[in-house]
Amino acid sequence: MSELSSVQTVDAFMRAFREQDRERAESLMAEDFVFTSPQDDHLDKATWLERCFPTADHFDQPARTLELVEVDGVVLHRYEYAVNGRRWRNAEATTVVDGRVREVEVYFGGAID
């Protein structure tokens, strides 16, 4: 794998999720990967791949990135998506260590229309 910045790693990880490219997603994940959201508390890599990874078809269309920046070693990703015709915005704080996604924290926003 080429040397990616933390922002590029998160972007590639999100693209692998949207495209359901499990091999690519796994190659970008640290072995001690942890995922937390209001619905999931500290899921490990295997559980996230089983429970969350296959849900990309839940969205009406791929999420649209509004902002993707690194701040103090954490990549902040703000994005918009639609489910059943309603638009929503979420934010994620992702930690990348040694070129791999180690931790993702998702913060749910409300409907915007």
Side-chain angles (χ1 to χ4, degrees):
M1 180 184 331
S2 65
E3 187 67 32
L4 301 175
S5 71
S6 293
V7 169
Q8 290 170 323
T9 298
V10 172
D11 185 51
F13 183 65
M14 294 305 299
R15 194 169 43 255
F17 170 75
R18 286 191 306 267
E19 295 171 2
Q20 289 294 276
D21 183 345
R22 183 174 170 141
E23 183 177 332
R24 177 72 171 147
E26 286 188 66
S27 77
L28 293 164
M29 298 170 77
E31 287 307 311
D32 58 348
F33 173 88
V34 176
F35 178 87
T36 300
S37 80
Q39 296 174 336
D40 305 289
D41 187 21
H42 291 84
L43 301 181
D44 64 12
K45 181 177 181 176
T47 304
W48 184 83
L49 286 166
E50 177 185 319
R51 184 186 303 175
C52 302
F53 185 77
T55 64
D57 65 352
H58 171 75
F59 304 100
D60 294 352
Q61 58 201 20
R64 182 173 68 96
T65 295
L66 302 172
E67 190 170 19
L68 186 62
V69 297
E70 185 172 359
V71 178
D72 295 330
V74 175
V75 178
L76 302 175
H77 182 211
R78 198 167 63 89
Y79 56 95
E80 182 176 293
Y81 62 96
V83 175
N84 297 324
R86 292 193 73 192
R87 290 184 315 141
W88 304 80
R89 287 192 182 140
N90 287 0
E92 297 184 3
T94 302
T95 303
V96 176
V97 176
D98 296 329
R100 302 281 188 270
V101 175
R102 176 176 282 164
E103 184 172 8
V104 178
E105 295 175 290
V106 180
Y107 300 91
F108 291 168
I112 58 173
D113 56 7

